[in-house]
Amino acid sequence: MNQTFRVDLRGIVDLLSHHLYTSPQVYARELLQNAVDAITAAHGPDAAARKSGRIVISSADSTDSTGDGSLTVSDNGIGLSEVQVHELLATIGRSSKRDELGFARHEFLGQFGIGLLSCFMVSDSIEVTTRRADEPTVLWHGSSDGSYTVRPATSGEERAEPGTTVTLRPRPGCEHLLTRDAVTELVTHYGAHLPHTVTVDGVRITGGPAPWDRLENEDPAQRRARLEAYCERVFGFTPFDMVDLAAAEAGLRGVAFVLPMPANPAVPAAHRLYLKQMLLSEGAERLLPEWAFFVRCVADTAELRPTASREALYEDSLLENTRDTLGDGLRAWLVRLSRQDPARLREFLRVHHLGVKALALHDDEMLRLVTDFWPMETNVGPLTLAEFRERYGVLRFTPLVDEFRQLAPVAAAQGLAVVNAGYVYDAQIIDRLVTVDRELEAETLRAADLTTHLERLTAAEEQAIAPALAASDRVLARLGCDLLVRSFEPSGLPALYLLDDDTAFQVDLRGAAEQADDVWASILGSFQTTEDPRPRLVLNHRNALARQVLALDDAELRATCLEGLYVQALLLGHHPLRPTDTAVLNQSFLGLIGRAVAGGAR
């Protein structure tokens, strides 16, 4: 046996107020939406005809108020017949903006047939007085307990013209939401840019220009001043620049305001979005591509679909295409800036380089822009990749910041220019640049590679230090380090500690496995290589102190000095000290002091 669902209206209202809508204040938006849609149905899609639409709101403080705190919202829209009142107002989920009214669904703001229910969040009863064309006036009264009545209007209750009036009486605790100040603020917030005449207690709310409008006889300087004032008032900052946005497929017009300060790319950008000139959301996300976190925009759309709560956009192919189109507009602005005002582009990049670099990973034009205009850190001073390539030919870089700090001074002394590609996106940008430009020669310089650029000792020099070298090797082997002797600049640097990322990983694995139980040691062991990579301590044979240490006859003193040079190289390379290294630091420092004191006493 077929049966129909029974709906608990109080439960539905609770669901709306706690889970669909973020605040009971949205009742004002839904009443405006219904009035605007009624005007649209009455006057058709012609924008000029819609301007004759009127929405008259009387608050609880109005001189025409009945004194019971009620709010009325009247429009001169299409109105409803008695049959439509029964069919549409009393059926949850059936939208009154249906095709039978003569227009396609996308002409209307509301689509879900639940907007009027939001009024139950502030009122226990809703009264609707409506008249359609030559039909008689009908009164509908709905209660939050799920009951409703419909009757013809009596003398004195009729409407003089087609349209609808909605009357709300506040439920206990919601009186403040129906006062003049509250209603004026809410209606201004949601409907200030509507094309119709909207008044609250006789004061007009609409009529001012929208930010996306281009006014006649307004020169660029005046428009810029108007938009800057809007941005300061709404978003709270003076924009670095402004970019007009448009997406014809979505019927979208808008303005993007470029932030004058860095933005966190991990925090989604929130934009102010209108649907057919009525505020949809102050925090619309994913309207722009993720890389465009450096702008905040205000826009009006005619075609993008809202969610049921009308506080966000429905994710579909149209929104995806619109996002790409708006991203193209921002990209074109950056290209324009690079050609017309390079200095201003550099100023922009100093603040928002992360967004542009993210875009450069898959956009050739942005890749060129980053290559030509963004100065990267190198060991010969800040240089763009284009300047570095022009001066040094080979694009030599290191992908880790810590490694760059180790290598930078030594590489520079050997005449090797190196780019620090350890910051976000830099290494990927260089990799992509090599892919795009086949003539570009790039080379990764790692800590282990630097030794190939250092001068080897002569045969005579190696023979002279051979006895001490074997003993010194054993000292450093206890610290998990290999010893090399090379000649390099600067000669004032006695030792250099070289540890690349792969070796550091294997060293950490071994240390963790030694301290773990058998199960975890077995798991960690599966990640270890068969080789035994070790960091290297490179003694500088051009340094007098290093040569003197190797020439010491006292094996114990030589070991203490080597341990001191080892720890000093760690500190100079900004490497963290293990407990073993800290113990060696104390031991070598105190041992050398002890030797000095003993020598002084003699």
Side-chain angles (χ1 to χ4, degrees):
M1 182 174 61
N2 291 331
Q3 298 188 32
T4 58
F5 286 103
R6 287 171 291 182
V7 176
D8 178 1
L9 188 59
R10 287 190 183 274
I12 292 293
V13 172
D14 181 71
L15 178 68
L16 293 178
S17 60
H18 292 95
H19 301 284
L20 184 63
Y21 297 119
T22 56
S23 165
Q25 295 177 339
V26 299
Y27 86 89
R29 183 192 67 192
E30 297 301 321
L31 288 177
L32 274 178
Q33 168 201 296
N34 287 342
V36 169
D37 285 341
I39 292 171
T40 300
H43 299 286
D46 181 25
R50 291 183 192 179
K51 290 184 178 179
S52 62
R54 298 188 312 277
I55 303 173
V56 179
I57 302 172
S58 296
S59 73
D61 301 324
S62 169
T63 55
D64 298 328
S65 173
T66 59
D68 58 358
S70 62
L71 171 78
T72 62
V73 179
S74 299
D75 64 68
N76 63 342
I78 195 169
L80 298 173
S81 66
E82 184 173 351
V83 173
Q84 290 171 331
V85 166
H86 280 287
E87 182 180 2
L88 301 175
L89 289 187
T91 305
I92 296 172
R94 175 175 293 178
S95 175
S96 60
K97 297 85 180 175
R98 300 182 60 192
D99 291 344
E100 67 225 32
L101 293 181
F103 304 99
R105 181 180 294 271
H106 74 267
E107 286 293 328
F108 301 97
L109 289 168
Q111 298 180 8
F112 300 96
I114 57 176
L116 195 62
L117 292 180
S118 66
C119 296
F120 283 126
M121 293 191 290
V122 297
S123 176
D124 285 323
S125 66
I126 303 173
E127 294 181 8
V128 177
T129 304
T130 184
R131 175 189 166 196
R132 177 163 185 174
D134 297 330
E135 301 277 344
T137 301
V138 178
L139 273 67
W140 177 90
H141 181 277
S143 299
S144 59
D145 62 5
S147 63
Y148 74 93
T149 61
V150 180
R151 64 176 177 83
T154 60
S155 177
E157 295 177 327
E158 301 95 339
R159 283 187 58 94
E161 62 176 352
T164 301
T165 299
V166 179
T167 302
L168 306 179
R169 291 177 178 81
R171 67 192 310 176
C174 294
E175 294 85 356
H176 64 287
L177 294 174
L178 274 63
T179 63
R180 177 182 299 159
D181 290 344
V183 172
T184 300
E185 181 180 351
L186 290 173
V187 173
T188 303
H189 179 70
Y190 290 115
H193 300 308
L194 286 171
H196 317 299
T197 300
V198 181
T199 60
V200 176
D201 292 345
V203 179
R204 181 165 181 169
I205 301 301
T206 55
W212 52 82
D213 287 338
R214 288 186 173 274
L215 308 180
E216 294 183 13
N217 303 320
E218 184 180 44
D219 62 41
Q222 291 174 324
R223 184 169 186 266
R224 184 177 185 87
R226 174 168 65 88
L227 291 177
E228 283 183 348
Y230 175 87
C231 183
E232 290 170 0
R233 184 176 72 255
V234 173
F235 293 109
F237 64 86
T238 302
F240 173 86
D241 205 347
M242 293 166 290
V243 186
D244 287 311
L245 300 176
E249 187 179 3
L252 185 144
R253 302 172 297 159
V255 181
F257 300 98
V258 181
L259 289 161
M261 63 286 192
N264 185 350
V267 178
H271 308 291
R272 193 176 183 90
L273 183 64
Y274 289 75
L275 178 61
K276 298 181 179 69
Q277 297 177 260
M278 185 167 168
L279 182 64
L280 180 73
S281 174
E282 290 184 286
E285 298 177 0
R286 295 185 55 75
L287 180 64
L288 297 179
E290 289 183 1
W291 55 262
F293 54 79
F294 53 83
V295 299
R296 299 292 179 267
C297 76
V298 57
D300 176 60
T301 178
E303 302 295 337
L304 293 177
R305 295 170 54 194
T307 58
S309 67
R310 287 180 40 79
E311 295 175 352
L313 289 173
Y314 182 78
E315 189 72 35
D316 57 11
S317 58
L318 178 57
L319 177 57
E320 184 178 352
N321 293 337
T322 300
R323 190 182 297 129
D324 292 340
T325 300
L326 299 182
D328 289 342
L330 291 173
R331 172 183 169 277
W333 168 74
L334 286 168
V335 173
R336 241 181 359 258
L337 206 59
S338 70
R339 294 170 180 169
Q340 298 174 2
D341 196 346
R344 188 158 176 77
L345 175 64
R346 291 188 182 93
E347 184 181 349
F348 167 81
L349 288 176
R350 278 195 293 272
V351 180
H352 298 300
H353 55 276
L354 279 180
V356 181
K357 289 197 289 187
L359 181 57
L361 297 182
H362 56 82
D363 185 281
D364 291 347
E365 194 69 37
M366 291 299 101
L367 181 64
R368 184 199 62 79
L369 189 148
V370 169
T371 302
D372 291 346
F373 292 97
W374 174 242
M376 291 191 177
E377 181 182 2
T378 79
N379 63 341
V380 289
L383 292 173
T384 66
L385 292 179
E387 292 170 335
F388 190 96
R389 178 184 183 183
E390 183 179 352
R391 291 189 191 181
Y392 302 103
V394 177
L395 188 54
R396 187 176 289 108
F397 69 97
T398 180
L400 299 171
V401 173
D402 288 338
E403 234 173 10
F404 176 80
R405 289 171 179 165
Q406 292 180 63
L407 306 181
V410 178
Q414 316 314 308
L416 296 176
V418 183
V419 175
N420 180 8
Y423 296 113
V424 179
Y425 302 127
D426 286 358
Q428 296 101 305
I429 285 174
I430 292 176
D431 289 341
R432 188 166 187 279
L433 189 59
V434 173
T435 303
V436 171
D437 186 353
R438 298 292 183 179
E439 296 181 359
L440 175 63
E441 184 181 354
E443 175 186 309
T444 305
L445 182 66
R446 308 301 298 266
D449 301 328
L450 183 61
T451 57
T452 62
H453 296 276
L454 303 180
E455 183 182 339
R456 299 182 68 92
L457 273 60
T458 64
E461 290 171 334
E462 288 186 350
Q463 186 176 3
I465 65 170
L469 200 57
S472 300
D473 253 334
R474 290 192 294 272
V475 173
L476 292 177
R478 295 197 300 267
L479 301 172
C481 184
D482 290 334
L483 178 65
L484 285 178
V485 181
R486 294 287 187 268
S487 293
F488 57 87
E489 295 293 339
S491 60
L493 183 67
L496 176 66
Y497 183 84
L498 296 180
L499 173 66
D500 60 37
D501 198 41
D502 295 335
T503 301
F505 177 69
Q506 292 298 322
V507 169
D508 290 342
L509 273 181
R510 286 197 300 270
E514 290 171 359
Q515 299 178 19
D517 57 32
D518 292 341
V519 175
W520 278 108
S522 176
I523 294 173
L524 293 173
S526 65
F527 293 98
Q528 295 182 30
T529 62
T530 55
E531 301 175 354
D532 185 21
R534 291 185 176 186
R536 295 176 175 178
L537 181 70
V538 185
L539 289 184
N540 187 2
H541 199 258
R542 289 185 186 168
N543 180 267
L545 178 61
R547 291 197 304 270
Q548 290 170 358
V549 168
L550 290 175
L552 287 171
D553 293 328
D554 186 333
E556 184 181 347
L557 178 58
R558 183 172 62 240
T560 303
C561 291
L562 279 172
E563 289 171 346
L565 291 176
Y566 164 80
V567 176
Q568 187 217 26
L570 281 178
L571 295 174
L572 288 177
H574 303 279
H575 298 283
L577 297 183
R578 301 168 299 170
T580 302
D581 300 329
T582 304
V584 168
L585 170 63
N586 293 331
Q587 179 181 320
S588 60
F589 180 69
L590 294 177
L592 291 173
I593 290 179
R595 287 272 190 163
V597 170
R602 289 196 296 269

